[in-house]
Structures are given as C-alpha cells and as structure tokens.
Amino acid sequence: MIQNVLHGGRRYWGLLAFWGVLILIGGLAYSHQFAVGLQVTGMSRDVSWGLYIAQFTFMVGVAASAVMVVLPYYLHDHKAFGKTVILGEFLAVSSVLVCMLFIFVDMGQPRRVMNVVLHPQFHSLMFWDFMSLSGYLLLNLVIGFLAIEAERKGTPPPRWVRPFIYLSIPWAVSIHTVTAFLYSGLSARPFWMTAILAPRFLASAFAAGPSLLIVLALLVRRFGGFDVGARAIRSLGTIVTYAMAVNVFFVLVESFTAIYSGIPHDEEAFRYLFMGLDGHAALRPWTWVGDALAVVSLTGLLIPKIRHQERWLVLLCGGVFASLWIEKGLALVVTGFIPSPLGIVTEYAPTAPEIAITLGVYALGGLVLTALYKLVLNVREKTQLA
Amino acid sequence: MNETRRGFLKALGLTTVGTGLGIPLLRALRPGSGTVLAQVSGPAETAPAAVPGRQWAMVVDVEKCLRDDVRAAVIEACDREHNIPRIPDPKQEVKWVWSDEYGDIFADQINAHTPAAAREAPVLVMCNHCTDPPCIRVCPTGATWKREKDGIVMMDMHRCIGCRYCMAACPFGSRSFNWRDPRPYVEHDENGKPLSDFPTRMKGVVEKCTFCAERIDEGGEPACVEALRQVPGAEGALVFGDVNDPESEVSRILSEHLVMERRPTLGTGPNVYYLVPDALPALAAAPSAGVDGNHPVSERGEVAP
Amino acid sequence: MNVLISLLLVAGLFAVGMFGPGVTPAWVFAVALPYAAVTLFVVGLAIRVMGWAGVPVPFRIPTTCGQQKSLPWIRQQRLENPSRKIHVLGRMALEILFFRSLARNTRTELRKDRGLVYGTDLSLWAGAMAMHWALAVVLLRHLRLFTEPVPAFVTFTEKLDGFLEIGLPVINVSSVVFLCALLYLLYRRLAHAHVRYISLPEDYFALFLLLGIAGSGIWMRHLSHTDIAGVKELAISLVHFSPTVPVGIEPLFYGHLFLVCVLLVYFPLGKLAHAPGVFLSPTRNMANNNRAVRYVNPWDYPVKVHTYEEYEDEFREKMIAAGLPVDEE
Amino acid sequence: MTSRSRIALGLGVFFLLGAYPVWNGLASSADPERPELARAVDSAGATGCIEDTTWMKANHQKLLNEWRTSVVRDGQRTWVSSTGTSWDMSLTGTCLKCHANTETFCTRCHDYADVQPTCWNCHVVPEGGQSEGGQSHE
C-alpha cells in the first residue's frame, strides 16, 4: 500500500521537490546550529524560547483539531464527515511530527533527548507533553493507516481499532491541555499564568485546525479530484465559526482580567503587545493586524450567506488561520518573557537560520502530509474505478 | 431510569473520589512542597517527621555590598572559581552572581517616591536556592534538583538537555544558557589553561550558582564568601550558613534583623536574604554604581578570542 | 523441531568458537579460519553467481503491474512497466534499496462477503527493511577495526549511529534496530501458523546465526567490554597479511568471530544468496519493450532448410525418369 | 558485452569494494600496531592505579560514569577500591594526577579504537597535560 506514494504526476513530484528543497535548506541550517549551538538564533538569556517553541505550540493545536472531525463522525455518526476523517487524521499525524521536530530543534543538547524517558520526572509537564504527543502520533498513525488499508481492501477496519478511535478523542484534548499547562503553571510568567490558557488553546486550535482542513480539502478537490462533499465543508465552516467566536471571547476575558485589575506584571505584557513597552514594540504591528484579521474573519463567518460561499469561506479561513498563527505562533511565547523577571524588556526577532530551520521543519510536515494525502487519493481513485 | 440513575451516582462517586485524590496528587507533583508545609505548620520539634536537614542560606548585606570593590571581588572570585565565560553579547551572557539595580530586584517593594539613587543602587543577585524551586518542578530530566542533605539547588550539566524550561520557570532570572561553546570565552592563563580545574560547560546546557557545592562537600565555603575575607572592611557583606541551625550566624542575623527576600509572594521560599539598611537615604547617598551587571572590569588576564 | 535443530546447531557452533581456541593453537581460530572463511565466501559466491549467469534467459519476461508505454497521451507508469534502461535502473534500485515488492499485496484474507482480499503486510516489510539497513550500518561501523587511521566516513557513520547519548559506551541505534528486527522476523516465523508451516531448518538457522552474532557483539560492547585495541590489532594484522594474535582477548570474541566465519561460508550456499540473486531477477531487471525493440535470439542458429527447388534440383532426373511433373525442365 | 561478463564485472566490483580494508591498509602509511600508552607519571609516589590495568582498560568509562553520578548527584566523593584503598572520586584530581598527559594516555588509544569521549569538552586537563581545548563534540 505504501508504495502508492510513488504514483503521481508531474505536479505531485514537483510539490515533493519543492518540500525537498526547503528541507535541504533547513537541514543545512540545522547542521550549522548543531555545530555552533543555539547562538545562531535570536533567542537570548531573557527571551529563552522563541520561534521554535511558538510553532510547536501552534501546531499542537492543529494536531489536536483532528478531533473536530473524528468526534462528530464516530460519536455522533455525522455521515458528512465520512470522507474527511482520514484527511483530519493524517493532518494530525504530520502536525504532531512537526511539533516533535520543533521541540527537537529547540534543544541545546539534542543527543540527550532520550534523557526525558531514561530519567522521567513525573512532576514535569514537559515529560507529560512528550508522552502525550508520542501517544497521539502513534494513535493517529495506526488508526489512519488501518482505515485507509481497510478502504483499499473494501472491508471494514478491524474491530479492535474502535477503542483506539474513542481513546484518540480525549487524547487530542489532552495534548493541547498539557501543552497549555506547560505554560500556565509558571508563577514567573504572569502573561501565561492564567487558568483560561488551556480552554483558550483548545478554542483557537478548533478554529485554526479545521480552517486548515477546509483549505486542504478544497485543494484536494481542485488538484486531486477528490471531493469530501459540500456538506462536510459546510459543517467544518460552522465549527470554525463557533470555535473562533469562543476564542475571541476567551481572549477578551483574559484581556479584561489583566487590564482592568491593573496589576503591573499582568498588564505590562498586554501593553507591550498593543502599544509597546519602554520603546520596544516589535510585535505591535503584528498584534493589530492579527486582531483586525480575527475580527473581520469572525464577522464574515458569522454571516451564513457569506460563510456558505466557498470562495469566501476559504478567504475567511485563511484569515482565521493567519490571525491565530500570529496570536499563538508569534506573540504568545515571546510576550511571556517580556518584561523579564528583572523588569527588563529584551526583544526577540528570529534570525535567518532560525527561519530556515522553521521552514524546513514545516516542509518536512508538508512532505509527509503530501505523501499521506496522495496515498488516500490513490486508494480512492482505485476503489472508485473498481 | 434505574440504569441512568445508577450511572449518575457512580459518576458522582467517581468525581468525588477523583477530586479527593486529585488534590493530594497535584501536591505530590510538586517536589519539595512537603518541606514548605512542614515549615509553615509550626515548630519543627513538635513534628518529628518534619525535622529539617541542613539548608544553606546566604545573607547579603546590601549596604556593605554597595562598595564597588566588594561586589567586584565577589563576581571575580566566582568567575575564576567556575571558569565562567565572559561573553560580550549581553543577550548570551552567563551569570552566576551579578549585580543589578535595587529597583528591578525589589520591584514590588519600591514606590513612586523611592529616590532614583536608591532605585539604581547595585545589589548582588544569584540563585536563591529556593525551598520550593519552580525550576526543579519543571525540569523533565532531573538535571536540576534539590539536595536533600543541605538544600542546594544543583545542576547536573551531564544530564541537562537544554530545553530551557527552567529558565522560563525561574522568577529570578538566575539561570543562564550556553548559547555557544563557552570555552573560547573562559579566561586562560599563559599556558592556555582555564584558571580553575572546575569543568567548563559545553554549549547547550543551562547553568547557575550552586553555592559552590563542590567546595561545601569538602568542608569549605563558597568562593565569594571566602574571597571577601581578603577585602578589608567587607566582613559580613556575605554571610553563608545553615538556616536550620539556630546557632548559625545566618540564623542569628535573621532573628535579629528584618530581612527581605526576592518576590516572597510567589512562595518559592528563597534562601538568599537581603539585609537592607535601616534608612533608605543610606542607599540613596551611596556612590552610584559604575557596575553594569556582570563581570566588572578589573586587572584580569586577557580573554582568549 | 526445525527450530530446535537450528538453535542447537548455532549454539554448538558458538561453543566451538568460544572454547575451541582453548584447545588448539591460537592461530587456528584467529587466523586460519577467518582466512579460510573469506576464501570460501569469495569462491562460493563466484561459483554461485556465475552459475546463474550461465543460465540462458532467452525471452524478456519482466513482471509488470502498471500502464505500459503506449500512445503519447496515455501516461506510462515507468517504474511499474519500464520501457527503457533508466526505468529499469530505477525499478531495480527501489527493489534493492527499499524492497518494493515486499510492500505489495503480501497478505491475503478470505472474506465471506468479498472473497479473497489482498492487503499489505507492513510489519514484514518494515522488519525486513530495518534488519537489512541496520546490518549495513553495523558492517560499515566495523570498518573502524580494519582501518588505521579510521576514515572519516566510518567515524561519521558511528557518530550518526550513536547520536543518542544513551549508556556508556553509547548504544548504537543500529544495534537495537538490528536485534529487534531479527527478533520480530523470528517471532513472525514462529507465531504465524502458515509461515511456520513453510519454514525449514535453514530459515531458522540464518536467523539464529545472525542473532548469535548480534547478541555476542552487543554483549562484548556493553557488558563484558572486550579489549577493543586487541581486537583491532588482530583485525588489522589480518588485512595486512601479517597475522599476529594478541593475548588476552576474551573467548566471547572468538565465539563471535567463529559465527561470522560460519556465516561467510554459509552465505553462498543457502538462501542468503538472495542478496546477489535479487540483482539477477529476470522478472525485474528487464525493460518491457518486446514490441518496440527487435531482439534477436542469441540461440537462433541458422536452421538448415531444404527448399523444394533444391529438392527438385537434387532429384530432377529421377523424377523425370519416374514421370513425375517438375517445375523446371 | 554479454550479460555474463557484465555479471562477472559486477561481482568483481563487489569483491573489490569488500576488500576495502586491504587496499586501504596498503595505501596508508600509518602504523597499524596498537599504540603504546604513556606510563603513568608517579606524582606522589603513588602505588599504582586504583585497580589493575586489565580491569581499568575494560571498565574505566563505567567507573568514571559512576564517579560522576556519585559526585555530582549524591555529593559523595570517596571511593573504596577492591583492595580497600580510599580515593577521591575526581577525574582531574585523581586520574590525571598520574596520567597527566591525556594526549599520550587517553587520546592515543581512543583514536585507535575510534572512540570520541566528550570528557574534555568541559573538564580541564591540569598543568603539564594536553587537551584539545574548546573542541566541540560533534
């Protein structure tokens, strides 16, 4: 079955080559980073996590969002998602892979990565994150492959995967909750130390992930000739709408608490984001663009007439995705370090090698996703012919 | 009906049990929390299980440390003792003990009327060797841990994977990461050897003040404290001792004076205490510091490129 | 039974290797046997392969499974149905490096509703890939014992293989993968009734032999810490053809070495010769261009024919005499 | 070229590649013998190594690892050898006192066996010894 990934046209191989080039550039940048250390990044003593960890956080959300198609399909028998489920699961597989790679490239001593397992510390959320991500990867890999294999054979998937499918639902919630706990348990960082972080993460994940899935499904329909069905797209659009609404609400709730209470530590991070602090305002334009995108996209989504037109839906989903990427993949992590515990504002900007490595990691995810989707398409093509 | 009722009751029971178990479980997840409770919950002698071991602590006499030469001697001694690299880029600096502004260190304890000179007065800072350290709670490999026998928060540079979670968790900014190989920035003698036998670090690990655990294990005292014995008039600028020993000098100071600690509301229980002068003007009147944090410039050897 | 025979055989051979050096002069197991084994390997392999090379393959018989080269607007599946040498090369490379046919319909299932359905035995493919690639890395790593100074590519391989800093000496990923893959392949033979049914003692023998070699190697590296400098001294003296046998190398090493010798001798004889064999699979290494290219059969000797004209020339007089009609007078 | 000769050629190339150690050995000028290790420099009239040579040769890395754990993690610095002598568990303080020249004692043999320990990335070789200093561990 897996040899199916070798069957593809010029466009398919072109896309793989495109990913390949990006991976190569990223790989070279990483070998440089591996040789001389994380000094090649823009991170510093004060802002000790940057682009890598931020992308990790964002992509955990995308990975978790597979639950938004798995749950309605398996628990509520929402038939419209029949053809979307496998796309969601394979999106989860490649996203988790990307997450793990982002953690890996962020490590100062990557050769010691197994220390997390060799000397497990149950009080460290990092340990639990490691466990939950590996478990989730395994779950989705097994479920996805068995589903596609069964489809190819024209038989139902083996009965023993059923419990694993059910398990994957709470597991998806858990990966993003644990990732939120990674941050929200730190008394040193008031910007993160909020109980709403986990719900906020989940809401933004369930908006960003399905947005991406809509775009991917439409791409697959356009270029792969495989239609998941208008009803599925419409259902996904509804999910994005509600999740985004909840997310915006959560952000407002959080901002209110921090700003209205006026506790300097809590307020400063928000002031940095929206206005700048001590003359530093690198994230200000991003914040405003992100929030504007969020408001515009949400408004558009809330109007059914607009949302139900696929042209508009794609645009709005792009807007939602971009605004959430700015919120989580850019602002969230860095702002936690601003100002530092000693009240100093050190700004952070990723360097060229850092961006190259980041793109390389994404490209690797893109490659895996392309190959997995191609697998699905080839199997579908054959079963439709038969 | 009966079925759902039973299911509901079962769920209710499970939830209760879950909550009941959950709280102690969460507490158990926090290493060292037991010690805090024991300390808070009354005199140690009434609770035999909670007899505290040793807990090393440091008292920084802020007034005495206002002198530039005192702080320079401390930082210099530490740098030499531990082969601490002097990296020019402040973003990638490695600092074990350094001086920072009073207003930044005790940001919660100044007000709008605190004189500028007092805000800017230099104060020595280092790892607080907290009683309930958040860095240890988050470390995924146990590369940092609290020694049971004497409460030192240790670093195992052989095990650290460089995830820097501890740096995010430390509310005091006491931890430094080796963004690059530190060796070329370590001060060398004329033979190209580092000044001390203390291992230099490799790139990609986190480090911090260890209260000179290796010296303490051999019955010595921290290098900074020792160095101050050579500085005239610096007696008592740094006092090191066992805070659980009522006879120790540290305990005496803590019982006789009102001392401050950094960010007490976070509950980490720092073991570095600050003896602040009775009157703030004393601070304000002090000569303003020419020291901008790390590594004072002194007549030290060349730094290899 | 088959399992037990093979297991005992390998265990016996291992014991011979371990305790043999104690009763024979040192050079027998350290020098003579390795040289002999390598010689037998080379000669045996040459005989086996050249034997295959002598078998005539008069027809192009590629097994194809995709769209053949056809009209310009029909896309050819070049790897499934190669028409040119370069396609064949690609197909063979995928076969040799990635065992592509093993990732095909290797698992069948009889279902009431749909009859026979084919599936992929992904674990067999993954196990085989893991075992072979790990073996390749292990072999490459062993070059450090045969070369001085050690070439950079060997050191690089070792570093990559020992990337994860686990244990001291560092546990190589290839060792773990190799051992696990072998154990899985053994498990597969034992656990699946239909695979066990077709398994011969030889199938188990090869597995136990490799397991014995891997196990003793891992044991020496991580548990008994054999005298690596001594081992290298011996190895390098062998390839320099100036054998010296250092004293004090533990018996376990000779057990390991003896099993390797057995493997070398056995390799050309049995099923392990599938390694050169895969290069010569006639169903894979030919282009399917029977109708595009005219192939002349090399055995197409000029057939002696006797045409009617010649016949008539030969018997004309007699035919005329007999009154038979002839074409030419 | 017939397929028979092509196959023979392929086989020949395979054997040639397999004989890499042989022709590599012919080409290299390096001494293939096991390197002589520098004898220990007796600093304080010490009575030999902490354990016998054979044991040390096989187990020094494990011993150092245990020492490391003991010193760094347990703060326990004294080690008693099989003969009952007590030693300070210290790479620089104990081992390198006698084996002062790491170049001729450690590196030589490690290079021969192609083993690159990471000790010297951090640990400082005291006066009189050699170390690669500042070399990163890749």
Side-chain angles (χ1 to χ4, degrees):
Chain A
M1 173 182 65
I2 47 167
Q3 86 277 2
N4 270 328
V5 302
L6 290 172
H7 295 191
R10 199 158 288 162
R11 225 168 11 208
Y12 170 64
W13 286 106
L15 185 57
L16 289 193
F18 171 70
W19 297 131
V21 169
L22 281 181
I23 292 169
L24 194 73
I25 296 171
L28 286 175
Y30 183 70
S31 66
H32 176 55
Q33 179 187 298
F34 186 77
V36 304
L38 285 161
Q39 58 166 304
V40 301
T41 68
M43 291 183 269
S44 60
R45 206 178 177 283
D46 284 337
V47 186
S48 47
W49 280 344
L51 196 60
Y52 301 147
I53 294 293
Q55 302 317 297
F56 151 76
T57 311
F58 180 69
M59 288 310 283
V60 171
V62 174
S65 71
V67 76
M68 282 290 109
V69 282
V70 172
L71 190 142
Y73 181 66
Y74 285 104
L75 282 191
H76 298 281
D77 209 17
H78 185 64
K79 290 278 193 291
F81 278 161
K83 292 171 166 179
T84 330
V85 165
I86 188 78
L87 296 185
E89 278 161 352
F90 280 163
L91 177 62
V93 167
S94 35
S95 311
V96 178
L97 204 68
V98 164
C99 292
M100 294 176 121
L101 278 170
F102 272 123
I103 292 278
F104 182 78
V105 298
D106 187 65
M107 286 174 59
Q109 281 290 326
R111 294 187 60 190
R112 299 183 184 162
V113 59
M114 293 319 280
N115 279 6
V116 178
V117 188
L118 295 175
H119 309 284
Q121 304 291 314
F122 302 115
H123 46 71
S124 171
L125 266 306
M126 190 84 88
F127 168 78
W128 293 108
D129 216 17
F130 192 90
M131 290 294 126
S132 60
L133 281 178
S134 328
Y136 193 63
L137 180 65
L138 207 67
L139 274 177
N140 277 287
L141 215 60
V142 169
I143 295 170
F145 266 109
L146 284 173
I148 196 74
E149 170 85 353
E151 188 165 327
R152 199 177 75 104
K153 293 199 291 195
T155 59
R159 214 175 271 162
W160 58 265
V161 291
R162 206 79 190 176
F164 288 98
I165 292 172
Y166 294 138
L167 180 65
S168 80
I169 294 169
W171 204 292
V173 177
S174 88
I175 61 167
H176 217 22
T177 307
V178 173
T179 307
F181 284 177
L182 209 64
Y183 297 102
S184 63
L186 302 182
S187 62
R189 312 285 168 188
F191 181 61
W192 298 334
M193 206 184 72
T194 159
I196 206 154
L197 201 66
R200 221 183 107 185
F201 270 20
L202 285 170
S204 66
F206 295 157
S211 295
L212 182 60
L213 202 56
I214 289 176
V215 175
L216 288 173
L218 293 180
L219 281 175
V220 162
R221 188 177 72 189
R222 175 95 190 266
F223 296 106
F226 168 63
D227 191 2
V228 297
R231 273 196 63 208
I233 300 284
R234 206 177 252 217
S235 296
L236 280 172
T238 312
I239 290 173
V240 172
T241 309
Y242 285 115
M244 190 60 187
V246 172
N247 179 56
V248 169
F249 174 66
F250 282 171
V251 173
L252 288 174
V253 167
E254 171 65 19
S255 317
F256 169 79
T257 313
I259 295 167
Y260 190 80
S261 66
I263 299 171
H265 264 310
D266 298 13
E267 201 189 349
E268 271 166 350
F270 283 90
R271 188 145 11 105
Y272 171 73
L273 278 177
F274 285 98
M275 272 109 77
L277 202 63
D278 295 352
H280 299 284
L283 282 176
R284 187 172 56 191
W286 290 97
T287 311
W288 286 105
V289 169
D291 286 3
L293 271 176
V295 170
V296 172
S297 315
L298 181 60
T299 314
L301 283 170
L302 283 172
I303 304 167
K305 254 187 198 160
I306 299 181
R307 192 207 319 153
H308 289 164
Q309 294 179 49
E310 275 175 10
R311 281 175 304 154
W312 284 108
L313 184 65
V314 173
L315 272 180
L316 294 171
C317 282
V320 165
F321 193 79
S323 85
L324 291 176
W325 182 78
I326 290 171
E327 182 190 315
K328 239 159 121 187
L330 211 58
L332 178 100
V333 170
V334 176
T335 313
F337 292 98
I338 294 173
S340 80
L342 288 164
I344 292 149
V345 179
T346 310
E347 282 208 296
Y348 162 83
T351 57
E354 209 174 350
I355 293 170
I357 292 171
T358 304
L359 288 179
V361 171
Y362 272 128
L364 202 84
L367 183 90
V368 171
L369 188 73
T370 311
L372 288 176
Y373 275 17
K374 186 68 193 169
L375 194 71
V376 176
L377 290 181
N378 282 346
V379 168
R380 291 274 154 86
E381 213 170 86
K382 280 200 182 129
T383 47
Q384 273 165 10
L385 279 178
Chain B
M1 176 63 207
N2 209 7
E3 274 298 301
T4 43
R5 210 180 126 85
R6 250 176 59 193
F8 173 73
L9 285 176
K10 227 160 108 185
L12 193 71
L14 276 177
T15 321
T16 322
V17 173
T19 321
L21 280 175
I23 290 170
L25 204 69
L26 267 179
R27 276 203 184 286
L29 277 179
R30 300 175 38 191
S33 52
T35 336
V36 173
L37 288 177
Q39 285 193 345
V40 182
S41 63
E45 51 268 36
T46 57
V51 172
R54 216 174 232 165
Q55 171 65 60
W56 296 116
M58 183 85 86
V59 177
V60 179
D61 188 324
V62 174
E63 190 169 15
K64 285 180 180 155
C65 288
L66 283 175
R67 273 172 52 190
D68 286 351
D69 62 329
V70 170
R71 290 195 321 283
V74 165
I75 296 166
E76 166 95 19
C78 184
D79 279 10
R80 281 176 162 264
E81 176 70 20
H82 301 110
N83 286 324
I84 292 171
R86 294 198 287 173
I87 294 167
D89 181 358
K91 281 184 157 188
Q92 303 193 347
E93 259 181 321
V94 173
K95 302 193 262 194
W96 285 34
V97 53
W98 73 101
S99 70
D100 231 308
E101 293 179 5
Y102 179 86
D104 285 339
I105 295 166
F106 294 105
D108 294 347
Q109 317 194 15
I110 56 168
N111 56 57
H113 309 287
T114 310
R119 282 173 191 269
E120 288 161 15
V123 177
L124 282 177
V125 280
M126 64 195 93
C127 171
N128 281 306
H129 295 273
C130 301
T131 306
D132 184 11
C135 51
I136 287 169
R137 205 180 302 152
V138 300
C139 179
T141 62
T144 188
W145 76 102
K146 194 172 174 67
R147 293 215 296 201
E148 268 174 35
K149 62 172 181 180
D150 57 7
I152 291 181
V153 175
M154 279 291 285
M155 257 317 289
D156 183 350
M157 257 77 80
H158 300 101
R159 190 181 286 181
C160 174
I161 60 172
C163 70
R164 310 189 294 293
Y165 197 7
C166 55
M167 294 175 78
C170 176
F172 309 104
S174 297
R175 290 175 161 265
S176 305
F177 181 69
N178 285 283
W179 298 99
R180 59 182 74 201
D181 180 13
R183 268 262 169 109
Y185 301 91
V186 171
E187 199 176 334
H188 290 72
D189 61 16
E190 58 276 14
N191 297 327
K193 296 272 171 220
L195 298 181
S196 145
D197 276 353
F198 194 84
T200 62
R201 273 66 65 189
M202 68 205 299
K203 65 169 190 281
V205 295
V206 171
E207 60 182 87
K208 65 171 197 74
C209 160
T210 60
F211 269 170
C212 289
E214 73 286 352
R215 296 168 68 104
I216 290 170
D217 283 342
E218 289 173 342
E221 57 183 352
C224 49
V225 177
E226 191 184 88
L228 284 186
R229 298 196 191 283
Q230 311 300 321
V231 181
E235 300 85 31
L238 291 181
V239 180
F240 181 77
D242 178 11
V243 81
N244 286 343
D245 170 13
E247 305 297 311
S248 71
E249 173 75 357
V250 168
S251 298
R252 189 191 60 77
I253 298 174
L254 295 189
S255 60
E256 288 175 6
H257 298 268
L258 284 176
V259 292
M260 303 210 302
E261 57 178 33
R262 293 172 69 189
R263 309 188 75 174
T265 51
L266 296 186
T268 67
N271 282 298
V272 174
Y273 298 94
Y274 289 88
L275 192 58
V276 184
D278 295 342
L280 270 170
L283 268 179
S288 115
V291 183
D292 62 339
N294 197 19
H295 313 304
V297 186
S298 64
E299 58 284 67
R300 295 171 60 181
E302 284 288 291
V303 176
Chain C
M1 193 59 205
N2 288 351
V3 190
L4 214 61
I5 292 172
S6 319
L7 184 62
L8 286 176
L9 191 58
V10 173
L13 286 168
F14 187 66
V16 168
M18 254 181 87
F19 304 113
V23 291
T24 59
W27 55 266
V28 174
F29 278 86
V31 181
L33 279 174
Y35 277 143
V38 172
T39 315
L40 283 174
F41 171 76
V42 170
V43 173
L45 204 64
I47 292 174
R48 187 98 194 248
V49 171
M50 291 326 286
W52 287 330
V55 175
V57 185
F59 305 113
R60 311 235 111 203
I61 49 167
T63 316
T64 61
C65 41
Q67 175 58 50
Q68 187 178 4
K69 183 176 166 57
S70 173
L71 297 163
W73 42 270
I74 297 177
R75 207 156 58 82
Q76 177 197 0
Q77 287 185 298
R78 297 192 182 99
L79 293 171
E80 308 294 26
N81 201 329
S83 59
R84 294 169 50 196
K85 239 179 206 157
I86 185 84
H87 305 160
V88 175
L89 220 64
R91 194 181 199 210
M92 284 300 286
L94 285 173
E95 200 60 56
I96 289 160
L97 300 174
F98 301 108
F99 310 167
R100 191 141 158 269
S101 13
L102 209 55
R104 284 179 191 277
N105 302 326
T106 44
R107 182 183 278 160
T108 49
E109 197 185 339
L110 197 59
R111 293 188 69 96
K112 280 209 183 84
D113 45 342
R114 292 182 51 95
L116 195 62
V117 285
Y118 295 93
T120 302
D121 191 351
L122 208 57
S123 48
L124 170 63
W125 176 79
M129 281 284 284
M131 193 277 273
H132 283 84
W133 276 101
L135 178 61
V137 175
V138 169
L139 286 177
L140 203 59
R141 269 203 285 112
H142 272 68
L143 278 180
R144 75 171 168 140
L145 300 173
F146 293 91
T147 51
E148 178 62 31
V150 182
F153 73 92
V154 177
T155 310
F156 181 73
T157 310
E158 276 186 277
K159 274 186 175 157
L160 222 55
D161 201 3
F163 181 83
L164 296 176
E165 267 177 9
I166 309 171
L168 201 74
V170 165
I171 295 174
N172 287 307
V173 176
S174 62
S175 313
V176 179
V177 172
F178 188 54
L179 201 64
C180 292
L182 278 175
L183 286 173
Y184 166 72
L185 293 175
L186 181 66
Y187 161 80
R188 181 181 155 270
R189 280 201 185 278
L190 294 174
H192 299 189
H194 50 286
V195 188
R196 194 170 58 220
Y197 180 72
I198 57 164
S199 294
L200 300 170
E202 187 191 353
D203 295 316
Y204 297 108
F205 177 71
L207 281 174
F208 283 127
L209 197 59
L210 287 171
L211 271 172
I213 293 170
S216 55
I218 290 170
W219 187 283
M220 279 192 289
R221 180 183 171 92
H222 295 289
L223 296 168
S224 66
H225 306 294
T226 206
D227 176 14
I228 190 80
V231 169
K232 177 158 183 176
E233 216 176 353
L234 171 65
I236 233 171
S237 77
L238 287 178
V239 296
H240 279 77
F241 301 109
S242 55
T244 45
V245 186
V247 285
I249 304 182
E250 58 171 335
L252 188 59
F253 166 75
Y254 288 105
H256 181 75
L257 182 65
F258 187 68
L259 286 190
V260 173
C261 292
V262 171
L263 177 68
L264 281 174
V265 175
Y266 164 68
F267 191 89
L269 303 176
K271 65 178 269 196
L272 296 184
H274 69 273
V278 66
F279 287 86
L280 303 183
S281 353
T283 57
R284 301 273 149 187
N285 65 11
M286 293 179 186
N288 179 27
N289 51 7
N290 279 322
R291 293 192 289 171
V293 180
R294 177 163 181 265
Y295 288 97
V296 181
N297 185 349
W299 293 272
D300 193 9
Y301 57 90
V303 179
K304 267 215 156 57
V305 286
H306 202 219
T307 59
Y308 180 71
E309 283 77 25
E310 289 165 355
Y311 174 84
E312 208 182 73
D313 286 345
E314 201 180 336
F315 297 106
R316 186 165 289 117
E317 279 77 46
K318 288 181 179 149
M319 286 171 81
I320 296 170
L324 292 170
V326 289
D327 288 352
E328 285 173 46
E329 288 302 323
Chain D
M1 206 172 180
T2 64
S3 57
R4 206 181 146 87
S5 52
R6 238 181 330 207
I7 292 168
L9 185 76
L11 199 62
V13 168
F14 169 71
F15 285 142
L16 210 64
L17 280 177
Y20 169 77
V22 175
W23 46 266
N24 177 69
L26 293 176
S28 90
S29 54
D31 182 16
E33 299 279 296
R34 175 213 294 255
E36 241 347 92
L37 294 190
R39 302 313 314 168
V41 180
D42 250 330
S43 58
T47 53
C49 202
I50 55 169
E51 292 287 348
D52 71 82
T53 315
T54 323
W55 192 88
M56 286 306 291
K57 203 155 58 174
N59 295 299
H60 63 280
Q61 73 282 49
K62 265 163 117 183
L63 180 87
L64 286 170
N65 222 2
E66 276 162 27
W67 280 17
R68 176 190 90 183
T69 309
S70 174
V71 171
V72 179
R73 301 198 73 88
D74 310 333
Q76 169 58 251
R77 302 192 69 96
T78 311
W79 183 77
V80 182
S81 76
S82 60
T83 54
T85 338
S86 293
W87 298 90
D88 183 28
M89 291 194 250
S90 167
L91 172 65
T92 22
T94 304
C95 308
L96 298 186
K97 277 284 165 325
C98 297
H99 307 291
N101 195 328
T102 55
E103 190 58 51
T104 51
F105 186 74
C106 310
T107 317
R108 214 175 248 184
C109 196
H110 283 148
D111 278 355
Y112 187 65
D114 203 25
V115 175
Q116 280 93 19
T118 49
C119 313
W120 313 119
N121 290 338
C122 303
H123 287 269
V124 178
V125 180
E127 283 314 310
Q130 304 285 317
S131 88
E132 294 125 287
Q135 182 222 22
S136 64
H137 70 98
E138 295 77 34

